[in-house]
Amino acid sequence: MSIATVSSPSKLHQIKTLIPLASTANHLKQIHASLIHHGHHHDTYLVNLLLKRTLSFRENNYSSLLFSHTQFPNIFLYNTLVNGFVNNNLFRETLDLFISVRKHGLSLYGFTFPFVLKACTRSKNLNLGIELHSLVVKCGFNLDVGAMTSLLSLYSGFGRVDDARKVFDEMPERTIVSWTAFFSGCIASGKYSDAIGLFKKMVGLGVRPDSYSVVRVLSACVQVGDLDSAEWIANLVEEIEMQKNSYVNTTLVNLYAKRGKMEKARCVFDSMVEKDIVTWSTMIQGYASNSLPKEGVELFHQMLKENLKPDQYSIVGFLSSCASLGALDLGEWGSGLIDRDEFLNNLVMGNALIDMYAKCGDVARGFQVFKDMKEKDRVIMNTVITGLAKNGHVKLSFAVFGQTEKLGISPDGYTFLGLLCGCVHAGLVQDGLRFFNSISSVYSLKRTVEHYGCMVDLWGRAGQLGDAYRLICNMPMKPNAIIWGALLTGCRLVKETRLAERVLKELIALEPWNAGNYVQLSNIYSVNGRWDEAAEVRAEMNKKGMKKLPGWSWIELEGKVHEFLADDKSHPLSEKIYAKLEDLGNEMRLMGFVPTTECVMFDVEEEEKETVLGYHSEKLAVALGLISTGDGEVIRVVKNLRVCGDCHQAMKLISKITRREIVVRDNNRFHCFTNGSCSCNDYW
């Protein structure tokens, strides 16, 4: 007998001990060489140990060679190789190996069906999966929880929920993994309510959920906005004393944010011991999407203090908050935290940056980002078209629209909404009508109530109230508050009180809680000197306990956002602000300016009306900007309501007196005042 085939029991034991302890692939190869040297390279037990270890190092090619050079591979070796291939994401190789097993006629007793079924799912091989289902039954594994759960996952993964339900109903025993596989399939198929119902049934049967199943069902709650079920699940987690991991808490934060429950979202957020970037991003985006931009900005700064680097979602939420506040410098600083190429290569981030520039009135820089983008999609095009239109660059927005088809991008309803907004901004009735008609006739898109609202607004502002009213009467859908609100604006501009009263009745029926409707009617009465009727409207408001939404204005200076209400004296520089407005008022009077007191709703003396108008929030914000910045710097202000006619006229003169460009964004459009004129050509 050759010495190469002889080894002592102690040597063999030493080799068996060394295999699990091997720390590198090279170390394993040395052990393999020792096995060959001692004639044990066909010992299936030792080969199996070696195979498991090489696969754990992802030495897939070496594992295949090791297996193929074994003289009599048994089912256990096949089993090990299959498991390893699946764990290493070699799904096609797994299926080839399975076919090889069947060709060699090896008994499938003990064969790992779950791993092969997983390979079928991941490699999209449903036919082989169905064949395996038959084999599972033939081999008597239809009572095996692991095999049946894998079949459940297979059918669920292919969206065949009905087949998955049959497998589920036939299972003699169900584990938490089985339940989770089934309702995860429902979620993947969009059957969110079914998934929530299954989870509740599972709990009712006494099956204890794990954190993964909780996260999955909470994601279903997020999709359908089922806050009640989500809170029930959150209470359940506390009842069974399951430790809430970051995934569970982040999902709860996401759900509360999507339902506008930001106080509850913040409560969960603050209770978390550890927060990852996903949790911070979710909270920041929640603030941005729920009209709480200041809180979003503050939380972003807090995140940076925790030494967390912004990701795509946190920076998008931050830029969205800056856009809402009109905080251009703050947004520019935030965008500088991430390499500019990341914005240019990422459609979501690039879109957020363009939107921020556009909403802060610096459309030129936004347009440059648009031109530099490596790729453009419909969302980007729509953002640019709308941004240009609302900033007064209407013809350029038309030109961008012309590029969409050249780039192979089909317009959608939002595209035309941006174009129509531009037409309203510039008073382009014929262009607006052309775009409105082409929505259905040229592009076969369905007009929405917002499209009709733009046309009503366009005709109303042009004084064509008859055309606007006829369009409303012929709409295929019931007019909502957007439609009647647009017509009311037209009535206000041409002082059509009679039609305005009819419109207000419609608005009050739709929105009996909206004080703004009563305020507009009162203003129309005031404009026409009908003070008694204006007083009746105010009395009705008081009787119902209704209050007008206060007008706020914001201005950003050196990264800090300053807020103002009308007649606000809370700012540390109030004395200088009011002194500046007094000086400007004197100069405007010398230029022949007379305050537009007719828009004040109170029946008071003219001098008192002028005082009321003189300290509107946007004027206070502009005055702060003038005393806090140098000559030539642009003043940018954001207001939550529409700029009144008096402020509009005053801003034109202030821009001329100070030789400063003043950009005011209200809830309707941008007003860019330069040297005594406005970009919207008084068509406000």
Side-chain angles (χ1 to χ4, degrees), residues 117-222:
L117 286 165
K118 180 180 178 181
C120 291
T121 304
R122 298 291 293 272
S123 61
K124 305 296 182 185
N125 194 333
L126 177 61
N127 291 331
L128 183 56
I130 293 171
E131 184 183 336
L132 269 171
H133 188 174
S134 301
L135 208 54
V136 166
V137 175
K138 286 178 183 177
C139 294
F141 285 97
N142 54 314
L143 299 178
D144 182 85
V145 176
M148 296 300 283
T149 299
S150 296
L151 281 170
L152 193 58
S153 298
L154 173 81
Y155 289 122
S156 296
F158 282 96
R160 297 177 63 146
V161 178
D162 291 339
D163 290 326
R165 184 177 292 278
K166 289 176 185 175
V167 173
F168 184 78
D169 291 340
E170 292 170 2
M171 293 178 70
E173 181 187 351
R174 298 165 187 150
T175 65
I176 180 61
V177 178
S178 309
W179 284 94
T180 306
F182 189 23
F183 62 67
S184 293
C186 292
I187 292 169
S189 300
K191 298 185 177 183
Y192 305 112
S193 297
D194 289 351
I196 296 167
L198 276 167
F199 181 85
K200 290 181 177 179
K201 182 179 178 182
M202 178 190 79
V203 173
L205 291 171
V207 180
R208 180 186 171 91
D210 59 13
S211 59
Y212 179 74
S213 63
V214 168
V215 169
R216 293 298 291 141
V217 77
L218 280 174
S219 71
C221 294
V222 170

Side-chain angles (χ1 to χ4, degrees), residues 488 504 514-521 541 546-549:
L488 186 62
L504 256 300
N514 190 341
N517 298 328
Y518 293 87
V519 172
Q520 286 215 57
L521 180 59
M541 287 178 66
M546 304 173 76
K547 291 184 179 180
K548 179 180 179 289
L549 181 69

Side-chain angles (χ1 to χ4, degrees), residues 7-21 30-40 46 49-50:
S7 65
S8 67
S10 61
K11 185 69 176 176
L12 195 61
H13 177 74
Q14 185 182 9
I15 292 173
K16 283 194 290 185
T17 306
L18 284 173
I19 292 174
L21 297 175
Q30 289 172 15
I31 295 171
H32 186 201
S34 180
L35 283 177
I36 295 171
H37 178 71
H38 291 96
H40 293 294
L46 292 174
L49 288 176
L50 197 61

Side-chain angles (χ1 to χ4, degrees), residues 318-616:
F318 175 73
L319 290 175
S320 178
S321 294
C322 293
S324 297
L325 293 168
L328 177 63
D329 292 341
L330 199 58
E332 182 74 2
W333 165 81
S335 68
L337 297 174
I338 293 180
D339 188 83
R340 184 50 61 103
D341 284 341
E342 285 193 49
F343 283 98
L344 301 181
N345 287 291
N346 186 306
L347 288 169
V348 176
M349 290 171 60
N351 186 66
L353 186 59
I354 293 167
D355 185 58
M356 187 276 293
Y357 280 130
K359 287 180 177 173
C360 290
D362 195 347
V363 72
R365 275 200 276 186
F367 193 64
Q368 186 60 52
V369 174
F370 166 73
K371 290 195 293 184
D372 292 341
M373 289 293 293
K374 307 301 180 189
E375 184 184 352
K376 298 177 179 71
D377 65 357
R378 184 188 294 151
V379 176
I380 290 275
M381 302 298 284
N382 288 350
T383 299
V384 172
I385 288 169
T386 303
L388 288 168
K390 288 190 173 182
N391 277 276
H393 303 280
V394 181
K395 294 297 183 182
L396 185 54
S397 74
F398 293 173
V400 173
F401 172 67
Q403 287 183 18
T404 56
E405 290 184 321
K406 291 180 182 177
L407 293 171
I409 300 170
S410 300
D412 63 4
Y414 292 105
T415 314
F416 288 99
L417 198 57
L419 293 167
L420 288 171
C421 283
C423 294
V424 171
H425 189 287
L428 303 174
V429 177
Q430 292 306 313
D431 284 318
L433 190 59
R434 174 169 58 86
F435 285 127
F436 181 77
N437 289 331
S438 69
I439 292 172
S440 57
S441 63
V442 178
Y443 296 95
S444 301
L445 297 171
K446 189 176 180 180
R447 296 192 192 105
T448 65
V449 70
E450 288 81 12
H451 296 130
Y452 282 93
C454 284
M455 277 309 301
V456 170
D457 197 14
L458 182 56
W459 267 327
R461 290 174 185 273
Q464 297 173 236
L465 295 179
D467 290 325
Y469 190 71
R470 277 190 292 275
L471 181 65
I472 293 173
C473 294
N474 294 323
M475 282 172 57
M477 70 282 287
K478 189 175 181 180
N480 63 6
I482 294 173
I483 301 295
W484 293 117
L487 186 59
L488 186 62
T489 299
C491 293
R492 176 181 56 80
L493 290 173
V494 299
K495 303 178 183 179
E496 176 51 70
T497 312
R498 192 170 298 174
L499 180 58
E501 289 180 74
R502 289 164 58 189
V503 171
L504 256 300
K505 288 179 182 178
E506 298 287 350
L507 278 170
I508 290 169
L510 288 167
E511 300 177 332
W513 42 265
N514 190 341
N517 298 328
Y518 293 87
V519 172
Q520 286 215 57
L521 180 59
S522 181
N523 283 340
I524 289 172
Y525 285 145
S526 299
V527 165
N528 287 277
R530 296 164 63 180
W531 299 108
D532 290 341
E533 289 161 286
E536 287 177 16
V537 174
R538 294 200 303 277
E540 182 70 15
M541 287 178 66
N542 292 332
K543 182 180 176 182
K544 294 182 176 181
M546 304 173 76
K547 291 184 179 180
K548 179 180 179 289
L549 181 69
W552 285 92
S553 290
W554 297 268
I555 184 170
E556 179 212 15
L557 298 168
E558 296 182 353
K560 183 180 179 182
V561 177
H562 303 260
E563 294 178 326
F564 291 94
L565 284 165
D567 201 29
D568 196 336
K569 293 184 174 66
S570 63
H571 197 278
L573 297 177
S574 283
E575 202 172 307
K576 292 183 178 180
I577 290 169
Y578 279 82
K580 184 66 176 178
L581 285 178
E582 186 68 29
D583 292 342
L584 289 170
N586 291 334
E587 289 194 57
M588 288 191 291
R589 278 188 284 274
L590 290 174
M591 296 171 71
F593 174 69
V594 178
T596 314
T597 57
E598 62 181 13
C599 69
V600 179
M601 67 181 287
F602 305 109
D603 185 12
V604 293
E605 295 298 322
E606 289 297 311
E607 186 177 343
E608 188 177 346
K609 289 184 187 178
E610 290 185 22
T611 303
V612 171
L613 289 167
Y615 305 118
H616 276 188

Side-chain angles (χ1 to χ4, degrees), residues 178-349:
S178 309
W179 284 94
T180 306
F182 189 23
F183 62 67
S184 293
C186 292
I187 292 169
S189 300
K191 298 185 177 183
Y192 305 112
S193 297
D194 289 351
I196 296 167
L198 276 167
F199 181 85
K200 290 181 177 179
K201 182 179 178 182
M202 178 190 79
V203 173
L205 291 171
V207 180
R208 180 186 171 91
D210 59 13
S211 59
Y212 179 74
S213 63
V214 168
V215 169
R216 293 298 291 141
V217 77
L218 280 174
S219 71
C221 294
V222 170
Q223 292 296 329
V224 294
D226 190 347
L227 187 57
D228 292 337
S229 292
E231 290 186 325
W232 175 81
I233 293 165
N235 292 332
L236 173 70
V237 168
E238 292 181 4
E239 282 176 25
I240 63 177
E241 297 181 345
M242 177 194 292
Q243 186 176 0
K244 288 184 186 175
N245 61 31
S246 61
Y247 296 107
V248 172
N249 280 316
T250 300
T251 306
L252 281 172
V253 169
N254 187 25
L255 182 63
Y256 282 131
K258 287 194 172 181
R259 290 296 302 272
K261 308 282 186 181
M262 289 308 299
E263 287 185 9
K264 287 192 173 183
R266 186 58 185 260
C267 186
V268 175
F269 178 83
D270 288 340
S271 71
M272 296 173 66
V273 178
E274 294 184 4
K275 308 178 186 80
D276 59 15
I277 187 63
V278 177
T279 311
W280 285 92
S281 299
T282 302
M283 196 69 198
I284 291 166
Q285 286 201 313
Y287 278 133
S289 59
N290 282 287
S291 302
L292 294 167
K294 279 193 72 178
E295 289 81 352
V297 168
E298 288 168 1
L299 194 64
F300 184 81
H301 283 299
Q302 189 179 332
M303 181 189 78
L304 295 181
K305 288 178 183 177
E306 297 289 332
N307 294 319
L308 283 169
K309 184 181 178 182
D311 67 352
Q312 168 185 324
Y313 302 102
S314 59
I315 200 69
V316 167
F318 175 73
L319 290 175
S320 178
S321 294
C322 293
S324 297
L325 293 168
L328 177 63
D329 292 341
L330 199 58
E332 182 74 2
W333 165 81
S335 68
L337 297 174
I338 293 180
D339 188 83
R340 184 50 61 103
D341 284 341
E342 285 193 49
F343 283 98
L344 301 181
N345 287 291
N346 186 306
L347 288 169
V348 176
M349 290 171 60

